[in-house]
Structure formats: structure tokens, C-alpha cells
Amino acid sequence: MLSRTLISRLRQITGPEGIIDGSEDLLIHSGDAVEAGAHTDVLVSPGTEEETAAVLALAAGEGIPVVPRGSGTGPSLASVAREGEIVLSSARMNQVHSVSAEDLIAVVGPGVKLEDLHRHALAAGLLYPVHAAIDRPATLGGTIGESTNGLRAVKYGGTRNYVMGMRIALPGGEVVQTGARTLKCVTGYDLARLFTGSLGTLGVCTRIFLKLLPIQETNVVTVAIFDRAREAAEASQRILEDGIRPSILELMDRTTLCAVAKTGNAPFPDDAGALLLIETDGLRVAADGQAERAGAICHASGAHQVRQAGTAHAVEAFMNARRRAFAALAGTAPAIVLEDVRVPRSKVADLVGSLRALLEIEGVAMAVFGHVGEGRLHPAIPVDPGDSEDVERARRIVEKISGEVRSLGGQLGPERGVGLGPRVFLERRIAPEKMEMARRLKETFDPVGIMNPRAVL
Amino acid sequence: MTKRLREVEQEIRRCSRCGQCRSVCPVFAESLVESHVARGKIALAGAALDESLDVSRTLSNRMSLCLNCKTCIENCPAEVRVDEIVLAARDHLHEKGKNPFLKHAFIDNVWTRGRVFARFVQTASRMQPLLFKRGEGGGGTARIPLAGVDSERRIPMFESRSLLSRIPEVISPEGKPRMRVALFVGCATNWVYPGIGESMIRVLVDSGVEVVIPRGQECCGVPMLNAGDFDRAGKQMEKNRAIFAGHGYDAVVTGCASCGLALKKEMEEILETGPYLPQVPVYDFTELLAREIGVEPGALDKTVRVTYHDPCHLNRGQGITAEPREVLQSIPGVEFAEMPEADRCCGGGGLFSLSHYDVALKIGSRKAESIRETGAHIVATTCPACMIQLTDAIARSGQDVRVMHVAELLVRKLTSNE
């Protein structure tokens, strides 16, 4: 437990408005979208870079772990804190400093929400193409820590492709700037990209320089309904092989669709076996033409219904259905193990096929959804943590998935889950020699080892 | 453990902590404190349920930081009924004696006792002019420093004679009535804005409708429900049921969004005691006009730009957004201008602004800026509680904008200086 003296020293740094130390308020500030977290002692929310650096210097001096936190809407457990740790929130560093249409650059604080950056960029006729799948309120700091790809990565790439530079407060209290406001800046190591995806284990960004794009003339959303998920996955492969560049290419299988339908108005038929959500964008003529070709490919691949969402309302209904997939599935079982499976794009139909087969063998209502265009899917396995047989079965399924994925030349990302408490399937998914390199790298930035020590890369 | 908190346990468990509510909650937008947003309050309710957190006054404060605007529910992927959870938690806190004593003392001894409440308001209406100066555009500001009252705040000024005491119980049109409706008045219309009631009656009677205004009707019970006193809320419902049962009518109409929501479904859903007023449909005033009666309002003296504020309990509560706009746009002389985020909560939240004026003020100032963007001279709405908040927010923003109920605008002859 942190001492009152330490908390009052933190209060001196940020002022009372930057400190939360009541048990009622800390309860939710210690968890994320996956785990509730234990009671922590203090949340500190600096208002400036200087305050952030001072907090880190104090924590390093005292050897107290610091868990950086955006909006706590991620599923990776990276912002889950424990007793004796300082939760460092970016909530008050939420200024959009500038959006430049001339330089195609936005400069923002880490606490700015994705939806706010989208709005500011749009007002300047610009686009920040990272759209997190489930969380509009995600912060830029959080998406950098997680290296979020989101829904449009199939065409635009993820956060990593847009971070041009940042200012970072290091654990000792030093502040460094990496990268720049220019589109090319490769003098020395590309530290900004090293920090992207580091889950707050190296330091805390205090200001972020992001690349923006000119806005596209139009977006066309097409929805194809299939009987089987494998057919939908095959169609997605053919769409990409045909040279079409969809900006969204997402799959939801029957189990996912049923869960979504249970949470409210579903914009798809009750008996849909799988749904492919396709967005094409660009000049009107190109977006329409590609949408038409993608639709024809879906028909040829077995889709029994293909239609374009004609109104903004219809587009939102389908996007919302996809966005709420994870939360809807979480509501169907006491706990959910959510895997993040990546295979080469050409193998994604095989992956879907083997996941479906596994589902039939094990007789479990596993759902499959995700970024099929990137070759990246989320199998979601329902588990009752109180039933040891159930947990054992889930573990068996994860092992089988892992085997299938490796045989297809892919890999498993960090495991995620809902309602499980401590991870039950914790396993190192990074090769030992790579872990050793990562450890040495971390030591360089964080010699005392205070930065998010339990985050699993 | 309070029964009602246990009853919402399943609802509490349905929250997957995805945090979508963070991007829409008007209270959270001002404080950025997680325990002020739905996800946080649900976690707190869960902790109170499994007794891992003490039932404290701080917990009561966090639960009171909800406007019941229902924006989180509308944006929740699982449509978790945050309103039911927060109200059940308030009920739990009330049973444990952790809710504000003065508020409940007032509810117990004054608000729920019809005659006592009437005497209280009459006395207050006589005292108010001594302490408060009537302001341009409505309400009054304190003449002298008063403890707990912001010196610039526009306080609603009570009328010395309530609407119910001013008008006969039945008002008939000329000739044979096309229908007979019962008017549910509501506290704010009765005591602060009787003009809304008079306007509604005039429009209805002019349209050939007979209006019955049952004597003895009282507060709908929503303030008690929101305070977590479900028993008193239920008793208010029973009293009103008995009063209305003594009259024959084809429909019930109200000009208050919150009363309307209570009568239509909120009390029934939360108290699980059957329909508030059985057998006949309940309408919002604009809904009745647009769907059933249809009016051809007279022209205003001059063209005036009007914008519309969606009350949460009409929009998200009852799904009514088109009807009030339709009625407004049917008035010759109204130049309608939509404001940005017309459906964003004004920050009033019934008694919310009494306990959390600082937060209400910030939320209200955003609404005032949205109104400013339209260049409108009148902001119309369909909820007297919103009107109290809008009057304050607009006065504080230094704008010369009148706050009116849609009904008032329907019967208004604008004077030349407006």
C-alpha cells in the first residue's frame, strides 16, 4: 500500500485536481474492458508534460510501479493495476494542439479521444484512418500503447503507420523527443515506432505527432450474407486477389450474429450464417465500381444476399453491429477467452474452416469474427470459470487453435479474455531469445523497472 | 441487501466494461472521473451488491451524479439498463440512510403531501420576491448573498396561484367535443409555468377537444423515484390513479416530458406495479397534436427564428423527436433552425441541478452555445424542467433568447420588440 506521504507528494506535483484516491473512484480506474482490477491506492492525472515527468521521477526514485492508463477500454489487460501501484492517467492531457491541412499533421495530447481527433481532422477536410473496432472513446495514447490496427487497417495500415514522432517522459523524469513533424525523419533509430505497441512499458508519451490523409470523396458499404463462414472467408480472399482495395473487410459468423441480434435491432436476417462487411472508398466512381465487383464476387462465392447500405443510417446500423460484437459476446457467457489469431491472408479461409471443425468436435459455442481482410480473426470461447471441466476444455481448444495457426504459417497474438480474473492460459507467445532482447531494451529506458511491470508484450 | 438492487444483478453483470458510455455521458465529459460514468456506476453498484465496498455517503454522491438522460443506454452495445441500476442503487442507499437527509425530509413531509406542498409553494411565492429579483427572460436572481445559492443563478419563481386553482375542472369547446382528454399537469407547470397549461388547454379546446383537469392530482412521483424512494413514488402513482379513475376520458395528455415518461412506462417498468393510468393512451402534448388532432395555428405577428431542444425523457425516453418539430414548423412565421446536438442533455436532470449545480452549469453552458450557433431568438422545448435549466444557462451566457414551451408558442402573439 502506498503511503499517505507519497500521495501528498503526488498531489503537490499535480494539484488536487490531478489526484483520485477515494476507494469509490479508484474501483473502476484500476481495470480495463476485460478485467475489473484490484483496488489501487492512487490515480494521478497530470495536466502537463512537466507534471508527468515529475511523477515518473518520483516513482522511479521510490521504486514504485506505474501503470499508464488511457480510457481503460482496451482488452489487453495493459491498464489493469494492483495495490501498491500508481495509475497514471492521460485524461487531462486531452488537448488537440494543432491540425494542419498544409502539413497533413496533427499534434495531440495522449488523452485525446480517437473520436475527437476524427472530428477535428474532418473539420479540416482530413482523415485519421485508424478506427478502433469497439471503442470510440479510446485515447491516442492508448492506441499507441496497444498499436491499434482497427477496422480500416486492411487498406490504411494501423497506428504504427501514422505515428511520425512523439515527446516521451522517461521513468527517470527525462523528456525526449523522437521523430518530427516532417513526413520523413529517419536519423537514428525510429524510437517513435518502438514506443508504438510498447504498452507503456518504456515511458509515457506526452505529445504525439500524427500523419493525416486527405479525406476520401465517398465510402460505400456493402453487406453480403452467406450460409457458411468459410464461404465468406473465401469471398474475402477472392476480393483481395481481384485487386480490389476495400477499406473495411470484416467477418462475423453465425454465433457472433446471434449474440449481436440478442442485444437489439439487428440489420441482418435471423438465419444469416455469416456476414461479410465490405467498405470501399475513394472517388465516387472508384468506390462504386469496386463495391459492385466485390458484390459480384460474393454472389459467385455463394452469398445469397448482397446489398449496399444506401443511407447513413443503414451504414451506421452495420458498423454498430460490428462494433458491438465483442461486448455482445461477452454478455452470452460468464467469461470469454478472446484470441487474436493472425495467418497469411491466403490461409484465412482454411483457418475459418479448421476453427469451425474444432467447434463441432468440441461442441462449444465458439464465435469467430474479425478482420478477415488482414488475415486476422478473433475466436471467442465461452467459459464458466467456476467449472473446472469447462476451463480445461477451453484450454484444450486454445492449444488446438495454436497448433492449427502455426501449421498455417501464422501466430497467436496476446491472449485476451473477459471475466476470467488472472489469465488462465498464460503462455509466452514470444520466442525466448526475443524476450531477452526486449528485456535488455526495457532496461535501457527503464532501469528501475517501474513502467507497467506486469504488461505482457 | 435491498431486494431491488438484487433484482438488477443480471443487468449489472451484462455490462462488459467496453467503455462506450465514456464518449457520450454529459456528466463524465465535464469531470473525466470514471466513477461518474455508467461503467463506473455499474461497477460501484456491483461492489455494493457483493458488499465489497462500504455503503458510504461518497457512494451516494457518485450515484447521484446521474441525470437519468439515458444517453448511455442508447449508446450501449448491450443496451444495459443503466437507469434501472442507478435507481436501484439509490433505493439501496436510501434504505441504508445514506442519501441526503434534507432532500428526503422534504419529499416525506412536504412534496408528497398535496396540501402541505401547496401551502409551502404559496409561502415561497410570497417570500421569493423579497429575496430574488425577477430577471429578463424568466426566473430570478438573489438580491442578497444566500448560502448555497450562486449569485448569478436564475432560480425558478413560483406563482402564488397554481394552475389547478385557476381553472375549472372541465373546459368544453363550442359544439360537440371530438374527444375528451384528461390533462396531467405536473409540478413545474402547476407552480412555475401555469402559462404552459393554459396554452395547452386553449389549443385543445380551440381544436374541439374537451379537457378535464382532475382536481387533487399531485406530483407524478418521478422526483421520488429518482431520489431512490420507490415507496413514495409508488404512493404518488396510486394517489393519481385514484383521482383520474373518477373521470371519463379518451386519452391523457401532458406537457411535461418527464411526467409523460413516468405515465407511459418508467414507473411501470421500475416499480412493476402495472400501468400508471390503465386503459387509455397517454400522449405528449405535441404527439397528440401531430398524430391525433392536427392544428392549424395562427400566424405569428412577425417572422422569428426558433430552435428546439429535445428533452431526454421525450426523445430517448419516449422516442418522440419529429412531432414537436412538426408542430413548430406548422406555425406561420416560425423560421426553424436546428441546433447542433439538439438531443444533448441540458444538464437540468430534475433535482440534479440542486445537488450538483457546478456540473449542471457546465453542461448547460454547452447547450447555450449550441443555441447561440443557430441565431435563434426563441428556444422551444416540451419539458418545463428543461425550461428552468435553459433559462438559467441562457441568461448566464448573456444571450437574448426566450425559452418557451411549444404550447406557448402556438398561442402567442409576438410583441413587436421580439
Side-chain angles (χ1 to χ4, degrees):
Chain A
M1 190 167 164
L2 299 176
S3 68
R4 300 311 299 174
T5 318
L6 183 100
I7 293 173
S8 67
R9 285 170 72 192
L10 289 168
R11 188 175 279 113
Q12 279 168 10
I13 295 172
T14 63
E17 63 276 21
I19 296 290
I20 290 177
D21 61 350
S23 54
E24 290 85 357
D25 297 328
L26 286 171
L27 180 73
I28 186 78
H29 278 117
S30 52
D32 68 359
V34 170
E35 199 179 312
H39 286 277
T40 49
D41 302 315
V42 66
L43 175 138
V44 52
S45 182
T48 64
E49 181 177 277
E50 292 72 28
E51 289 177 11
T52 308
V55 168
L56 289 183
L58 175 60
E62 300 286 330
I64 295 164
V66 174
V67 178
R69 178 182 181 83
S71 57
T73 55
S76 71
L77 305 177
S79 53
V80 175
R82 296 272 178 272
E83 193 178 338
E85 297 174 343
I86 295 171
V87 180
L88 180 64
S89 164
S90 63
R92 293 174 63 228
M93 305 268 285
N94 59 351
Q95 294 83 23
V96 175
H97 298 292
S98 65
V99 172
S100 164
E102 294 78 25
D103 295 336
L104 296 175
I105 289 278
V107 182
V108 301
V112 169
K113 292 186 289 181
L114 259 186
E115 62 179 352
D116 289 339
L117 176 60
H118 289 147
R119 205 179 56 246
H120 277 89
L122 189 66
L126 300 173
L127 172 72
Y128 180 65
V130 178
H131 285 77
I134 56 164
D135 39 9
R136 286 180 298 165
T139 60
L140 266 307
T143 56
I144 283 172
E146 300 268 354
S147 190
T148 301
N149 264 11
L151 293 180
R152 294 192 163 89
V154 60
K155 177 170 181 180
Y156 291 103
T159 303
R160 206 173 281 281
N161 303 87
Y162 295 90
V163 175
M164 306 310 299
M166 57 178 87
R167 290 180 63 77
I168 300 161
L170 296 172
E174 188 188 350
V175 176
V176 293
Q177 177 161 336
T178 83
R181 292 185 53 135
T182 52
L183 286 182
K184 184 170 168 74
C185 178
V186 284
T187 315
Y189 293 119
D190 191 348
L191 293 180
R193 283 191 178 77
L194 172 66
F195 270 77
T196 308
S198 66
L199 295 177
T201 55
L202 304 178
V204 183
C205 57
T206 55
R207 190 168 284 220
I208 306 159
F209 308 103
L210 293 164
K211 180 170 74 177
L212 302 175
L213 301 177
I215 201 161
Q216 298 290 349
E217 184 182 301
T218 193
N219 302 40
V220 180
V221 169
T222 307
V223 177
I225 307 290
F226 296 83
D227 284 333
R228 281 177 288 276
R230 184 175 179 126
E231 291 172 349
E234 283 167 355
S236 77
Q237 279 178 225
R238 286 189 197 128
I239 287 170
L240 295 171
E241 284 160 16
D242 194 61
I244 296 169
R245 297 284 314 277
S247 44
I248 294 178
L249 190 51
E250 294 282 318
L251 170 82
M252 287 190 275
D253 76 347
R254 181 169 179 73
T255 312
T256 311
L257 294 173
C258 286
V260 170
K262 269 189 204 155
T263 63
N265 295 336
F268 42 78
D270 292 345
D271 59 348
L275 183 148
L276 206 55
L277 181 67
I278 308 158
E279 182 193 72
T280 52
D281 66 355
L283 294 173
R284 165 62 67 185
V285 62
D288 282 343
Q290 294 200 62
E292 212 165 288
R293 267 165 55 203
I297 290 169
C298 288
H299 266 307
S301 305
H304 54 78
Q305 194 191 104
V306 178
R307 69 184 178 97
Q308 282 184 10
T311 62
H313 182 74
V315 169
E316 181 50 30
F318 283 111
M319 294 300 291
N320 186 33
R322 170 60 188 90
R323 278 199 292 265
R324 65 185 203 236
F326 175 66
L329 285 163
T332 61
I336 295 275
V337 174
L338 183 75
E339 287 293 343
D340 186 354
V341 169
R342 305 97 186 248
V343 294
R345 279 175 176 176
S346 60
K347 302 289 186 205
V348 76
D350 292 341
L351 174 66
V352 170
S354 49
L355 289 173
R356 301 299 300 178
L358 197 57
L359 189 156
E360 279 179 21
I361 294 165
E362 295 289 346
V364 66
M366 177 170 70
V368 180
F369 68 100
H371 322 289
V372 67
E374 281 185 86
R376 191 170 155 229
L377 291 172
H378 298 303
I381 308 156
V383 192
D384 180 354
D387 180 343
S388 58
E389 269 183 39
D390 213 34
V391 173
E392 193 44 48
R393 181 172 60 175
R395 192 193 303 277
R396 199 165 59 236
I397 293 172
V398 171
E399 274 168 20
K400 285 185 179 172
I401 292 176
S402 178
E404 286 290 342
V405 169
R406 288 205 181 97
S407 74
L408 293 170
Q411 58 166 337
L412 253 63
E415 174 202 303
R416 294 149 178 202
V418 171
L420 281 174
R423 293 174 180 205
V424 288
F425 308 117
L426 187 64
E427 60 166 294
R428 283 270 175 257
R429 292 177 185 194
I430 305 178
E433 63 278 12
K434 202 174 156 194
M435 276 312 293
E436 175 55 23
M437 202 184 297
R439 194 186 57 73
R440 294 211 309 261
L441 191 66
K442 179 170 166 64
E443 256 177 30
T444 310
F445 288 96
D446 180 20
V448 191
I450 60 163
M451 293 308 302
N452 216 0
R454 282 170 300 99
V456 180
L457 290 167
Chain B
M1 178 54 53
T2 324
K3 179 172 143 276
R4 291 190 179 102
L5 191 56
R6 196 183 301 284
E7 281 172 359
V8 294
E9 182 172 4
Q10 271 306 100
E11 211 54 27
I12 291 172
R13 306 291 171 226
R14 289 207 315 118
C15 169
S16 70
R17 288 192 295 273
C18 71
Q20 293 281 2
C21 43
R22 289 173 56 105
S23 64
V24 296
C25 174
V27 175
F28 178 73
E30 306 305 337
S31 70
L32 302 178
V33 176
E34 188 93 43
S35 49
H36 298 178
V37 76
R39 176 170 77 160
K41 293 196 188 84
I42 294 172
L44 288 174
L49 188 68
D50 61 27
E51 297 179 356
S52 60
L53 189 71
D54 288 342
V55 177
S56 63
R57 291 206 182 277
T58 310
L59 183 63
S60 167
N61 172 280
R62 297 304 179 266
M63 286 301 167
S64 73
L65 275 162
C66 171
L67 292 149
N68 194 7
C69 71
K70 306 182 195 291
T71 319
C72 53
I73 304 172
E74 190 179 62
N75 285 274
C76 173
E79 294 177 32
V80 173
R81 287 298 300 265
V82 185
D83 51 356
E84 292 185 7
I85 295 170
V86 168
L87 293 181
R90 286 179 184 171
D91 173 74
H92 179 63
L93 285 153
H94 176 55
E95 287 209 357
K96 301 278 179 190
K98 298 295 179 186
N99 281 347
F101 171 76
L102 272 179
K103 187 197 273 185
H104 286 279
F106 184 75
I107 286 174
D108 293 353
N109 300 312
V110 182
W111 207 336
T112 52
R113 301 167 79 178
R115 284 188 191 154
V116 178
F117 186 48
R119 274 202 296 278
F120 168 83
V121 180
Q122 281 158 356
T123 310
S125 76
R126 281 196 292 274
M127 298 293 290
Q128 268 188 327
L130 304 175
L131 299 171
F132 298 91
K133 184 170 73 180
R134 278 194 186 272
E136 191 71 27
T141 47
R143 290 180 190 276
I144 49 168
L146 295 171
V149 180
D150 187 291
S151 63
E152 287 179 43
R153 182 173 184 178
R154 288 291 176 101
I155 301 285
M157 301 291 275
F158 293 118
E159 295 286 332
S160 56
R161 288 189 65 203
S162 69
L163 175 73
L164 283 162
S165 68
R166 292 180 188 199
I167 49 174
E169 193 164 30
V170 178
I171 304 175
S172 305
E174 285 180 21
K176 190 173 181 295
R178 58 196 286 195
M179 73 188 293
R180 181 176 159 97
V181 303
L183 178 67
F184 192 94
V185 175
C187 302
T189 301
N190 197 29
W191 289 107
V192 181
Y193 298 113
I196 297 174
E198 288 165 342
S199 302
M200 288 193 293
I201 292 166
R202 191 166 136 200
V203 171
L204 291 169
V205 172
D206 284 354
S207 306
V209 175
E210 186 167 66
V211 183
V212 49
I213 310 108
R215 284 281 175 280
Q217 57 175 289
E218 288 191 16
C219 171
C220 64
V222 160
M224 297 83 209
L225 191 73
N226 277 325
D229 191 342
F230 286 20
D231 294 336
R232 299 248 179 229
K235 283 186 183 140
Q236 289 304 107
M237 178 166 76
E238 282 164 23
K239 280 193 269 185
N240 285 319
R241 255 187 206 156
I243 297 279
F244 275 70
H247 301 267
Y249 45 83
D250 308 314
V252 176
V253 67
T254 180
C256 172
S258 296
C259 294
L261 178 61
L263 299 180
K264 281 184 180 180
K265 56 182 179 183
E266 190 165 53
M267 296 283 260
E268 183 183 352
E269 280 175 3
I270 291 173
L271 300 179
E272 296 174 344
T273 48
Y276 199 115
L277 296 173
Q279 281 144 14
V280 296
V282 177
Y283 290 98
D284 176 70
F285 173 69
T286 60
E287 183 188 18
L288 182 70
L289 288 194
R291 291 201 197 148
E292 302 294 332
I293 295 175
V295 284
E296 288 178 20
L300 299 177
D301 294 351
K302 57 182 279 197
T303 300
V304 63
R305 182 172 288 195
V306 178
T307 189
Y308 175 73
H309 161 70
D310 285 291
C312 299
H313 291 175
L314 195 68
N315 167 22
R316 282 176 286 278
Q318 302 175 46
I320 296 175
T321 55
E323 291 84 345
R325 289 175 170 80
E326 199 179 302
V327 171
L328 280 175
Q329 286 169 310
S330 73
I331 305 172
V334 165
E335 180 190 310
F336 186 76
E338 197 69 63
M339 73 170 92
E341 298 188 293
D343 65 347
R344 194 175 198 275
C345 180
C346 64
L351 299 180
F352 179 92
S353 62
L354 281 184
S355 344
H356 303 290
Y357 183 61
D358 51 339
V359 186
L361 190 62
K362 289 179 186 165
I363 300 172
S365 72
R366 290 187 194 240
K367 180 58 74 174
E369 289 315 304
S370 290
I371 293 166
R372 193 195 299 277
E373 281 189 39
T374 63
H377 289 97
I378 292 175
V379 54
T381 190
T382 42
C383 178
C386 293
M387 289 170 65
I388 292 172
Q389 167 75 356
L390 291 172
T391 301
D392 182 42
I394 287 170
R396 297 196 72 135
S397 74
Q399 296 178 72
D400 181 19
V401 176
R402 297 297 296 269
V403 182
M404 296 179 79
H405 193 280
V406 173
E408 294 178 295
L409 197 56
L410 275 170
V411 299
R412 186 157 174 99
K413 292 284 179 201
L414 290 176
T415 55
S416 55
N417 62 359
E418 280 179 323

